[in-house]
Amino acid sequence: MRVGDKTFRTIWQASDAASVKIIDQTRLPHEFETVSINTVFEAAHAIKVMQVRGAPLIGVMAAYGLALAMRADASDANLDAACGVLAAARPTAVNLQWAIDSMRGLLLTLPPAERAPAGFAHAGAIAEQDAVLCRAIGEHGLRLIQAVAASKQGRRVNILTHCNAGWLATVDWGTATAPIYMAHDEGIALHVWVDETRPRNQGASLTAWELGQHGVPHTLIVDNAGGHLMQHGEVDLVIVGTDRTTAVGDVCNKIGTYLKALAAHDNGVPFYVAAPSPSIDFSIEDGIAEVPIETRSPREVTHISGLGADGRMETVCIAPAGSGALNYAFDVTPARFVTGLITERGVIAATREALAKTFPERIGKRS
Amino acid sequence: MRVGDKTFRTIWQASDAASVKIIDQTRLPHEFETVSINTVFEAAHAIKVMQVRGAPLIGVMAAYGLALAMRADASDANLDAACGVLAAARPTAVNLQWAIDSMRGLLLTLPPAERAPAGFAHAGAIAEQDAVLCRAIGEHGLRLIQAVAASKQGRRVNILTHCNAGWLATVDWGTATAPIYMAHDEGIALHVWVDETRPRNQGASLTAWELGQHGVPHTLIVDNAGGHLMQHGEVDLVIVGTDRTTAVGDVCNKIGTYLKALAAHDNGVPFYVAAPSPSIDFSIEDGIAEVPIETRSPREVTHISGLGADGRMETVCIAPAGSGALNYAFDVTPARFVTGLITERGVIAATREALAKTFPERIGKRS
């Protein structure tokens, strides 16, 4: 997607064919820098410190991480060690394990000498497949926005989103943002309410940035504000992403998503979840009981980083010295609050029946 | 209440009897400083920049502001001018206008020479009355906490609160916190989840600070986290304050309160609002349609202040240079989501009937 007057993806193989380049998302929105990833440890670090984040992109980073590991040492032992290093980097996103399993399954069938080139090729294919999925989600979601736009007769369509399920969270297009970019590119008058998404402010630092770079009108709001906007008719639809959706349609996504779903439900605002199939976990049902929720450092709550008055990144403490903090990264929105899942195969109900009918090949297997 | 090993109120007449002292709440939680207020303009400024904030305390500050104005020039013209200056400082809190009207009504009946001393005396009485109201709210709310504690058989009672309806928002005790302080002082095992309350972080900077100073166990969370905690049984009750409650029980309070009420409702968690009667506005009914909601500077969303690494206050920008922001300060929780109002006359239903029965003298008059 557009960054200034150039076009980027979030991850690509470097021209030396021996490393991978990423956009360092911890420096956005103030600085745009790319970073070379040369080893599996650098890949795991990039995932852990969230230089790359977003369920789909984490999966692609892990896949390239295994290719880099094979380049250093293509033994079975090193493959297992590398899988372990990557799997431990973030516990919640199902795509991470999915990508690791997909890569491992392929690489173990090959003689060591073929593993590095085959690993890079397969990681590249996973990346390409993600872009294809996002594009398809965009096309299906576009029709939802077109329908709202038709009903508003020229008045702008207001869409609320939470966190970053944008192209920065994927390889290209994004999930929640794909319909938005396509609608904007088609000339539909739209405007996005961007939840800042505490504690890491991915809305402020990533979603607002990427919408701005692509020229999409948007306004930053605090996470507390969405309910008020919905009560006053200022939100036509909500589109969010998902880190893991269960077999019955419960949606695990960034902490606070559930609160917006409740507000949407109370105000009759459609609440859609852009859910590429790799993020659907058919092995679990009850999202609240079964999805493990990552707790992150309390420091993400008590300290906030941003651009200081002197133009350098600074970190400030907002809490009293003696107060502790607790930092759950995700919550679960029960399926009953989800108007529909925007999948690469179409917009479907968040129900066991619709999911099973849409992805019959996934039923009865662990995903 | 306790600050270190001393006891403070939030506002008091200075020993020179010619000025008023306040705690500068914009410097909390990192620095504890008191400020002298010498003129009505300084009083209005303190309200506007939120050195004093919280509906009850704003009312007391305005009352003292009029006393200070009378000390400088006790004419009717100056009284009217001073009322105008103060009324313009914050538009939403009903206590501000209530205190101004109360003072003005008294002062106009007096000859100018008596207005300054009578003004200080009446402002002092308003302050004392606020402390009495808060104490009564504490006693009624204490019984709610005692009942939960009894049902938990020794396990700690978890209370969630939003923003600061603590003693810093009042003269003493606080509204939402009064039952908490009393239960803690009585030896009930309790713990408070403190919403940070973006954009101004009053939870992090004020509520966490005052609970910590008083020794009440508490944990800071982002505003996004409360729903997840409620889904997992980690919240036994919610107690929040209110800036304005309507004749039918709709509750206007800090932006984001509505989202917590929705989550409490969805999870069967009791949602109480500590509502001293001066914050009840019997002249309006439909909170969503009728309460004017203050919009504040977008900079409060895009910039965050805190303690930098070098120990000085710093302000950092978290948003991209080109992104705008919108900053509503309050939202309205419809009465149907409110389990009860904790008033100085007891815990009552958030209904027209209960409010009218509890405050019969207020019915039929503009409050």
Side-chain angles (χ1 to χ4, degrees), chain B residues 33-58:
Chain B
E33 290 205 9
T34 60
V35 172
S36 277
I37 301 294
N38 301 289
T39 68
V40 66
F41 302 104
E42 290 176 3
H45 176 77
I47 293 169
K48 198 173 184 99
V49 303
M50 299 174 74
Q51 288 180 317
V52 289
R53 17 70 52 207
L57 178 54
I58 287 172

Side-chain angles (χ1 to χ4, degrees), chain B residues 1-22:
Chain B
M1 304 300 289
R2 270 170 35 202
V3 178
D5 53 4
K6 294 190 185 166
T7 298
F8 280 85
R9 286 186 163 188
T10 52
I11 189 165
W12 62 97
Q13 210 174 329
S15 51
D16 63 7
S19 65
V20 177
K21 296 272 227 171
I22 59 170

